[in-house]
């Protein structure tokens, strides 16, 4: 299971929209044909710093999201956001410095988690119906796949958590005995060595309780790692069987 191609296009789109906003805001229609000199315009701009802030923000967003899109494609720079691998938290400075990345990412993910639906079979009638994708799903006994909002399950205690997000703080850090932060961009899988390490960690943590493997939405990164975990635990012979029989019917 490789890279989910096209995820980086979200940030290409953000960069393009930011540039459009920058171009629009930096154009002063009132100056067209007004006869004002460039010096006069510069002096007026210097007195209107507040008006320039949105222009600067849009220009910064253009550059930052464009750079992040490149990092996505290169599968590099996962530590840029500054997430602490021990606590699972993102420092305050990161939200300030990288606000053009954090704000749309949080907004998109929260909306997606509210409207995302999956088709499940009603046990009583056998009829398949659409229902909201839960914060996390137990795909095999003691093995859970979920999103950034797994804390919505309630005060559940975990034997271990494998956190694959770069972009979100760990919401269940104080409710798990063991924690592994393996940050990777959305749509970018772990390296084979890191995948093996995550699977070994999860199998050991399973001895102390249920294990949660999560990314942002509980679909891509987390599913890839969960396949490795289920194979390492001896529940399935290979990742294809783990995905088709162990995860896909439930998540």
């Amino acid at each position: 299971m490789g890279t989910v191609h096209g995820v980086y296009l979200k940030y290409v789109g953000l960069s393009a929209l930011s540039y459009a906003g920058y171009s629009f805001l930096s154009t002063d229609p009132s100056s067209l044909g007004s006869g004002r000199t460039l010096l006069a315009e510069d002096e007026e701009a210097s007195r209107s710093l507040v008006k320039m802030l949105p222009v600067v923000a849009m220009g910064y967003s253009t550059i930052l999201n464009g750079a992040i899109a490149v990092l996505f494609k290169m599968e590099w720079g996962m530590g840029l956001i500054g997430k602490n691998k021990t606590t699972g938290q993102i420092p305050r400075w990161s939200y300030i410095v990288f606000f053009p990345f954090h704000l749309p990412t949080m907004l998109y993910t929260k909306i997606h988690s509210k409207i995302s639906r999956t088709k499940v079979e009603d046990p009583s009638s056998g009829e398949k119906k659409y229902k909201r994708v839960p914060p996390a799903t137990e795909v095999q006994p003691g093995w859970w796949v979920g999103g950034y909002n797994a804390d919505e399950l309630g005060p559940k205690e975990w034997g271990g958590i494998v956190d694959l997000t770069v972009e979100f703080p760990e919401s269940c850090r104080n409710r798990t005995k063991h924690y592994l932060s393996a940050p990777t961009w959305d749509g970018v899988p772990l390296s084979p060595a890191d995948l093996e390490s995550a699977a070994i960690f999860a199998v050991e943590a399973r001895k102390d309780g249920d294990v949660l493997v999560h990314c942002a939405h509980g679909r891509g990164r987390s599913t890839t790692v969960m396949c490795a975990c289920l194979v390492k635990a001896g529940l399935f012979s290979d990742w294809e069987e783990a995905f088709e029989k162990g995860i896909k019917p439930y998540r």
Side-chain angles (χ1 to χ4, degrees), residues 52-235:
M52 290 298 295
L53 289 178
V55 178
V56 173
M58 285 293 158
Y60 178 50
S61 179
T62 300
I63 296 170
L64 178 63
N65 284 299
I68 287 177
V70 172
L71 292 175
F72 264 63
K73 283 293 288 182
M74 295 174 64
E75 302 184 13
W76 186 79
M78 283 76 159
L80 177 69
I81 302 302
K83 184 169 181 173
N84 188 303
K85 286 191 173 185
T86 301
T87 66
Q89 300 307 299
I90 295 175
R92 191 170 301 171
W93 64 259
S94 179
Y95 290 109
I96 297 172
V97 173
F98 299 121
F99 74 90
F101 167 77
H102 284 295
L103 288 179
T105 297
M106 289 189 291
L107 181 62
Y108 169 81
T109 306
K110 286 182 180 297
I111 292 174
H112 186 276
S113 67
K114 297 295 184 184
I115 67 174
S116 183
R117 296 291 184 270
T118 186
K119 187 179 288 187
V120 295
E121 185 175 312
D122 188 326
S124 57
S125 65
E127 182 182 356
K128 290 188 175 181
K129 299 179 180 179
Y130 282 97
K131 62 176 290 188
R132 181 189 171 192
V133 176
T137 305
E138 189 175 24
V139 294
Q140 294 296 308
W143 293 98
W144 295 71
V145 172
Y148 80 101
N149 56 336
D151 60 310
E152 293 179 12
L153 290 175
K156 179 176 175 58
E157 297 292 326
W158 301 98
I161 291 177
V162 178
D163 174 11
L164 300 163
T165 62
V166 171
E167 66 273 40
F168 291 103
E170 177 51 58
S171 58
C172 299
R173 181 65 183 89
N174 61 348
R175 298 208 297 268
T176 182
K177 295 182 178 69
H178 307 284
Y179 174 70
L180 175 67
S181 175
T184 180
W185 297 119
D186 190 7
V188 178
L190 293 179
S191 68
D194 288 340
L195 191 61
E196 177 73 8
S197 296
I200 292 172
F201 167 88
V203 170
E204 287 300 312
R206 179 70 182 88
K207 298 174 183 177
D208 290 324
D210 289 4
V211 169
L212 168 67
V213 179
H214 81 84
C215 53
H217 304 288
R219 293 295 183 88
R221 291 169 284 182
S222 55
T223 298
T224 302
V225 173
M226 181 56 77
C227 286
C229 293
L230 296 180
V231 172
K232 180 62 68 175
L235 299 177

